[in-house]
Amino acid sequence: IKIGWFLNMYDYLIVTHIPAFYKINLYNELAKRLKIFVIFISSDTSQKRSNNFSSVNDALFDYEVLYKGDFQKRKIFKNILAIQTILSRVKFKRILVSGWDLPEFWYIAFTSKKSKNCLALESTIFESSYKGLKGFIKKIFLSRISTVFASGSLHCGLLKALNFQGEVKVTNGVGIINKPEFIKTQKKFSGRFLYIGRIVDIKNLKFIVEIFNAMPNFTLTIIGVGEQQEFLQSISNKNIIFRGAVENKFIGAEFAKNDVFILPSLIESWGLVVEEALYFGLPVLISDRCGSSELIKNGINGFIFDPTDKNSLMQKIRNFDNEMLQNLCSNADSYDINAKDTQQISAYL
């Protein structure tokens, strides 16, 4: 923390879960144009795709980390007391919480002025209940929010279902990916498909494992760790490869080895790895339940599919050939990720 932070008037006091690399990248860009102070609830999480997923080493803004350790082991009451102290000392125009899923966020929503309260909404209408008791509770939270920064159209759909009456700004993203330089090479279709992410139930990996088990001429590489890893390995044929966790700096090489990225999630608030795939020039097969599915245009830079329709996805995979891959890769490679990120940054200005 920089000395004298308590004397500044910040444009935003941002409260978020962990210093994930894509959030650090976003906040660094915002800090070039705004005065921001970021409170990280915890320094790390046990649920991540690689060991260097979270770090404050590259942060170029004022911040404080409330709990040094995994998010799942944090002391909630102690965190709230720390937040209370910061709120009493830091001057800010707006306060932005990164969800409604934590007691820390609820404390802020009900102790700060509604006119200052903002929400970064990364939940979609597919994954978040908007009816009954759960919907009623969300409406209570939203009654304390003046402005929502919604990631995309599926998020706006949730706000509409909850009858939110405040200001809505669409960010078209949840953060900014790393953009390392790399050598572009023309791909020749070799039937290699790639998944990167947590290996947990909501990612719907059993669905695509069963598909590739039935399609031995195609290869599926799975990168990541999670509670389903051992089970999925036990039911997978030899054309399905489990790589474990891969550090961010090596992710580009993994995209280069494969032809198509696939994200079959039943629930996915956004799916930043889709942006990474497009950046590295890979077309994307994506579930229609993913927030970032709006970045994919059918037959242009990938395909959108129903994550419960096995036959439909199998047919899409079988239809791939070298000519189709060349066209899709060309469009994926021309996707303007920088323009998307500029739009995201502008939403907060």
Side-chain angles (χ1 to χ4, degrees):
I1 305 170
K2 295 178 182 177
I3 297 174
W5 56 264
F6 51 88
L7 298 176
N8 287 327
M9 168 62 81
Y10 291 97
D11 294 300
Y12 286 96
L13 194 162
I14 301 171
V15 188
T16 193
H17 300 73
I18 61 171
F21 72 92
Y22 57 92
K23 293 293 187 184
I24 295 292
N25 292 342
L26 172 61
Y27 299 153
N28 280 342
E29 290 301 315
L30 291 179
K32 294 176 182 179
R33 301 160 175 83
L34 299 165
K35 288 186 176 181
I36 65 171
F37 184 96
V38 182
I39 299 174
F40 296 107
I41 299 294
S42 299
S43 63
D44 209 346
T45 176
S46 60
Q47 300 179 356
K48 56 193 175 184
R49 74 184 191 191
S50 62
N51 290 329
N52 62 341
F53 187 80
S54 305
S55 173
V56 292
N57 291 342
D58 296 324
L60 303 175
F61 47 85
D62 296 348
Y63 68 87
E64 184 163 337
V65 179
L66 300 186
Y67 178 72
K68 308 298 193 298
D70 284 349
F71 170 81
Q72 293 76 13
K73 298 178 181 179
R74 75 192 192 283
K75 306 296 187 288
I76 294 174
F77 183 69
K78 189 174 181 180
N79 272 2
I80 290 175
L81 290 178
I83 290 171
Q84 183 183 49
T85 300
I86 293 172
L87 292 182
S88 67
R89 294 179 179 177
V90 176
K91 298 177 182 179
F92 54 89
K93 297 175 183 177
R94 286 181 154 190
I95 185 165
L96 174 67
V97 294
S98 298
W100 48 39
D101 58 323
L102 305 183
E104 291 93 333
F105 296 154
W106 280 78
Y107 173 81
I108 290 167
F110 280 86
T111 56
S112 179
K113 291 181 180 180
K114 177 179 177 177
S115 60
K116 293 186 174 185
N117 290 348
C118 305
L119 167 68
L121 180 64
E122 297 178 9
S123 298
T124 72
I125 194 167
F126 285 123
E127 75 200 69
S128 194
S129 299
Y130 56 88
K131 297 179 180 178
L133 179 60
K134 291 183 178 179
F136 177 70
I137 291 172
K138 292 182 178 74
K139 288 178 181 178
I140 292 175
F141 188 91
L142 287 173
S143 72
R144 296 293 308 158
I145 301 296
S146 63
T147 303
V148 173
F149 294 91
S151 299
S153 58
L154 295 182
H155 311 78
C156 291
L158 176 59
L159 289 174
K160 184 177 181 180
L162 291 169
N163 196 32
F164 177 66
Q165 299 298 311
E167 182 181 20
V168 179
K169 295 187 176 184
V170 178
T171 62
N172 202 29
V174 298
I176 296 177
I177 64 170
N178 294 328
K179 299 169 186 172
E181 293 185 3
F182 67 100
I183 299 174
K184 297 179 181 179
T185 58
Q186 188 173 26
K187 291 182 180 293
K188 183 176 181 180
F189 186 64
S190 58
R192 300 183 65 85
F193 291 74
L194 174 68
Y195 166 84
I196 300 175
R198 292 179 295 134
I199 304 180
V200 294
D201 187 56
I202 60 172
K203 299 292 188 177
N204 203 25
L205 294 177
K206 182 173 181 286
F207 174 77
I208 57 170
V209 162
E210 290 174 347
I211 286 175
F212 280 88
N213 275 344
M215 304 175 73
N217 293 330
F218 298 92
T219 301
L220 173 66
T221 297
I222 296 175
I223 291 176
V225 294
E227 59 199 33
Q228 280 202 319
Q229 183 172 347
E230 187 175 338
F231 163 68
L232 291 176
Q233 284 180 296
S234 71
I235 65 169
S236 295
N237 291 340
K238 292 182 179 180
N239 62 319
I240 301 174
I241 303 162
F242 290 80
R243 291 287 314 281
V246 174
E247 291 187 24
N248 282 340
K249 62 184 178 180
F250 299 125
I251 288 295
E254 300 301 328
F255 284 114
K257 295 174 187 175
N258 291 276
D259 304 325
V260 182
F261 181 76
I262 183 167
L263 187 61
S265 306
L266 293 170
I267 295 174
E268 190 77 50
S269 58
W270 185 251
L272 201 78
V273 69
V274 170
E275 296 182 30
E276 292 176 316
L278 293 175
Y279 175 77
F280 286 106
L282 260 69
V284 177
L285 279 171
I286 188 168
S287 158
D288 61 13
R289 309 291 178 85
C290 300
S292 60
S293 62
E294 62 190 72
L295 304 181
I296 303 304
K297 308 301 179 186
N298 272 314
I300 305 299
N301 57 358
F303 294 95
I304 302 171
F305 64 88
D306 178 348
T308 65
D309 190 340
K310 191 175 296 184
N311 290 332
S312 176
L313 180 56
M314 289 180 75
Q315 190 58 51
K316 284 181 170 62
I317 293 172
R318 288 195 184 102
N319 286 343
F320 270 89
D321 58 22
N322 198 52
E323 182 180 357
M324 177 187 285
L325 181 67
Q326 299 304 323
N327 291 332
L328 293 172
C329 283
S330 177
N331 291 321
D333 191 50
S334 63
Y335 178 76
D336 194 343
I337 191 76
N338 291 319
K340 187 205 74 68
D341 290 341
T342 298
Q343 178 185 342
Q344 184 177 186
I345 295 162
S346 297
Y348 294 94
L349 300 182

